Amino acid sequence: MIDTHSHIYGEEYDGDRDAVMSAAKEAGVESIMLVNVDTTTIDRMKQAHSLYADCTYMAMGLHPTSVTESFAAGLALVDSELRTGAYRAVGEVGIDLYWDTTYKDLQIEAFESQVEMSLAYGLPLIIHTRKAFAELFASLKRFQGRELHGVFHCFGGGIEEAKKAISLGFYLGIGGVVTYKNSSLPDVLSRLSPDRLLLETDAPYLSPVPYRGKRNEPAYMAAVRDKIASVFSITAQKVDEMTTKNAQELFKLER
Ligand SMILES: [Zn+2]
């Protein structure tokens, strides 16, 4: 398995990161995509990557909830980091109107700038969106006909949004939410083909059942994989194979 979205460089893991990494390996997680949030997380992420260089990759971007009036400086830093060639994706980027809509227009501007960067550097997008599918699809429409590709991380939309994302060339990132009792995600997924999915944790957030409420970690992703297998009535091994292949192709991970 490949955990395509993780923040295990965070201070939540400072006490036991080695143990978390070994547990991941033991659970069958062969590699982990470290995803940036804002200008304060870059150094930590790079440090974690250098310690676990054989099994981690990095994505660089400015998260929508970190966008404020001064976002231009953050974007300049993101661009100069991307230019180094050390990154496999632009992320996480997107539009989030769940917590706060104050910076909606700036979020859209920052997102579209980072879509341009993904096209300029030929890298896939890791998209975060919450309560903003309409705005997000409107932004993507501006780039129609260009080489858009990537993943809707922690996909939380309905069947129409899922189909639209896939038709635009994106994968759906599936994490712990699919295991929650009140989640509509299993029903949405069951109406799709299982071949456009990626596994992810979003650690430390969104732990799958039976770890819900605790700090998440890559080893727990097996519970997500098993749930997807049951939704599609296929084997866990088949889910491993399909999602790993998808992640390798999207992020060009062959080595
Ligand atoms: Zn994230």
Side-chain angles (χ1 to χ4, degrees):
M1 289 181 279
I2 296 175
D3 179 357
T4 60
H5 194 112
S6 194
H7 305 282
I8 50 158
Y9 52 79
E11 60 188 13
E12 295 89 345
Y13 304 90
D14 283 353
D16 64 345
R17 194 170 286 103
D18 276 339
V20 165
M21 294 302 286
S22 330
K25 204 144 267 178
E26 218 146 281
V29 179
E30 63 186 62
S31 50
I32 299 170
M33 179 68 70
L34 306 175
V35 184
N36 191 51
V37 175
D38 60 30
T39 55
T40 69
T41 50
I42 296 174
D43 287 344
R44 269 191 163 272
M45 182 177 72
K46 286 162 118 173
Q47 200 181 357
H49 173 63
S50 69
L51 284 171
Y52 307 102
D54 61 329
C55 58
T56 61
Y57 303 96
M58 296 189 292
M60 175 52 56
L62 185 66
H63 191 287
T65 60
S66 298
V67 170
T68 61
E69 289 92 346
S70 57
F71 78 94
L75 285 194
L77 191 52
V78 164
D79 189 58
S80 72
E81 282 292 328
L82 287 171
R83 198 168 304 155
T84 65
Y87 299 91
R88 301 295 179 128
V90 175
E92 57 191 297
V93 299
I95 308 172
D96 186 326
L97 305 177
Y98 180 81
W99 298 109
D100 189 359
T101 58
T102 314
Y103 298 115
K104 178 180 167 181
D105 292 344
L106 298 185
Q107 281 193 32
I108 292 171
E109 206 183 319
F111 174 58
E112 291 180 3
S113 296
Q114 293 178 100
V115 175
E116 279 294 356
M117 289 180 203
S118 92
L119 293 166
Y121 295 107
L123 293 172
L125 286 162
I126 296 177
I127 294 181
H128 166 110
T129 186
R130 210 165 170 202
K131 280 235 181 273
F133 270 109
E135 290 81 359
L136 196 110
F137 285 130
S139 277
L140 290 180
K141 208 168 173 200
R142 294 164 180 255
F143 299 91
Q144 227 170 16
R146 298 174 68 189
E147 301 286 303
L148 283 178
H149 62 308
V151 56
F152 277 72
H153 127 74
C154 192
F155 179 77
I159 185 71
E160 292 312 317
E161 283 110 5
K163 286 180 175 169
K164 194 157 186 183
I166 291 169
S167 76
L168 288 168
F170 287 82
Y171 292 92
L172 308 181
I174 307 299
V177 173
V178 76
T179 68
Y180 298 169
K181 213 174 178 170
N182 54 0
S183 170
S184 57
L185 194 52
D187 180 54
V188 171
L189 292 184
S190 71
R191 296 158 71 185
L192 299 166
S193 156
D195 61 2
R196 293 296 290 180
L197 307 181
L198 298 177
L199 294 175
E200 64 168 66
T201 57
D202 203 14
Y205 312 109
L206 300 172
S207 291
V209 173
Y211 312 102
R212 194 172 180 179
K214 295 209 280 187
R215 181 193 72 172
N216 201 359
E217 59 177 80
Y220 298 167
M221 206 169 66
V224 174
R225 181 265 321 270
D226 292 347
K227 176 68 185 184
I228 294 174
S230 86
V231 167
F232 291 103
S233 302
I234 55 179
T235 63
Q237 195 194 339
K238 184 75 188 158
V239 178
D240 280 5
E241 284 168 13
M242 284 194 291
T243 56
T244 297
K245 183 170 162 284
N246 287 346
Q248 287 170 336
E249 283 177 5
L250 180 64
F251 300 117
K252 300 194 168 73
L253 304 183
E254 65 292 312
R255 59 163 152 209

